[in-house]
Amino acid sequence: MNLTKSDIENLEHKKRLNIINSVSGIKPANLIATKSKDGQTNVAIFSSVFHLGSNPALLGFIMRPAGEVPRHTYENIKETGFYTVNHVPITIVDRAHYSSAKVDRSISEFERCGLTEEYANGFHAPFVRECHLKMGLSLVEEIPIAVNNTIMIIGQIEELIIPDQAVDEKGYIDLSLFNTAGISGLNNYYSLKREASFPYARPDEIPDFGT
């Protein structure tokens, strides 16, 4: 298959959506959980969480366009300024996947999808008990992306929960110990396996690859 820009634009809508959502490769599966000021919880799966910096510790993620479809995650983050990001283990991908369903605001996806709210150190938003690596973040900035009306949400890590045995003496995390899931497209899930580990790359230490 070799598609030009014109070919892509002329694809049937669902086929184009599936192809373009998959070409960026396998992305991390995360549940983002929030709670409104009046106590209504919400949790939804996202595949767009990414690292932005270590000092301060920042993560970003992309919100789809707001409009006729309610975005409870975005609304709660704007209202309270807090949310959690929770790595999805393979064991709960089915429950995590169905958290994307557009249920009424009065219904918590925690309850509807068989997930458990968990709170730590007085942090406002709930963590997901079934997840092993979890982060509590505060909203720092939102950046509108005009070309497709999406929003980049930037948060600073306020709480970080990681099992001790998964972190080595240098601070490297073995994500394979969590059975962390990856997502390709909108509904295909992959397991994670660590295949190799290398030192920091320095010019004078590049091996001879026979080129």
Side-chain angles (χ1 to χ4, degrees):
M1 180 181 287
N2 191 330
L3 301 175
T4 65
K5 176 175 177 287
S6 177
D7 293 332
I8 293 169
E9 291 172 347
N10 288 311
L11 285 170
E12 186 272 328
H13 171 72
K14 287 187 177 179
K15 186 171 184 178
R16 181 177 71 245
L17 182 150
N18 289 333
I19 289 175
I20 301 305
N21 269 285
S22 299
V23 293
S24 58
I26 298 171
K27 303 176 289 292
N30 285 285
L31 285 164
I32 295 183
T34 60
K35 184 170 70 170
S36 67
K37 282 185 176 178
D38 63 9
Q40 179 62 50
T41 58
N42 167 267
V43 63
I45 193 165
F46 283 80
S47 63
S48 61
V49 176
F50 52 91
H51 166 85
L52 269 174
S54 301
N55 187 23
L58 301 176
L59 296 179
F61 75 96
I62 303 298
M63 289 292 308
R64 293 178 183 174
E68 293 183 5
V69 178
R71 301 292 178 194
H72 302 149
T73 298
Y74 178 64
E75 293 166 8
N76 288 347
I77 291 173
K78 287 287 289 180
E79 183 177 280
T80 68
F82 297 101
Y83 58 102
T84 69
V85 174
N86 307 264
H87 284 213
V88 175
I90 286 292
T91 51
I92 64 163
V93 289
D94 52 351
R95 287 179 274 173
H97 175 76
Y98 282 99
S99 70
S100 62
K102 298 173 178 63
V103 301
D104 187 82
R105 172 174 265 287
S106 63
I107 299 171
S108 173
E109 291 86 354
F110 275 100
E111 182 176 351
R112 187 67 183 83
C113 297
L115 298 168
T116 311
E117 297 174 28
E118 182 177 72
Y119 293 88
N121 299 324
F123 195 77
H124 176 79
F127 297 90
V128 180
R129 178 175 295 172
E130 289 78 8
C131 300
H132 306 293
L133 196 160
K134 18 201 172 191
M135 296 161 278
L137 293 96
S138 60
L139 176 64
V140 173
E141 187 177 355
E142 58 176 297
I143 301 174
I145 301 174
V147 68
N148 63 354
N149 197 33
T150 55
I151 303 170
M152 181 191 300
I153 302 294
I154 300 174
Q156 181 166 345
I157 298 175
E158 306 283 350
E159 297 280 345
L160 182 54
I161 301 171
I162 314 172
D164 292 339
Q165 68 272 21
V167 186
D168 71 14
E169 66 279 358
K170 292 185 178 180
Y172 292 113
I173 301 172
D174 186 352
L175 297 176
S176 65
L177 295 179
F178 306 140
N179 293 318
T180 299
I183 303 177
S184 174
L186 299 176
N187 53 12
N188 291 296
Y189 295 85
Y190 295 79
S191 58
L192 182 67
K193 178 184 177 183
R194 184 166 69 176
E195 297 288 355
S197 182
F198 301 100
Y200 182 83
R202 294 179 172 84
D204 60 347
E205 296 177 0
I206 299 175
D208 180 3
F209 292 109
T211 57

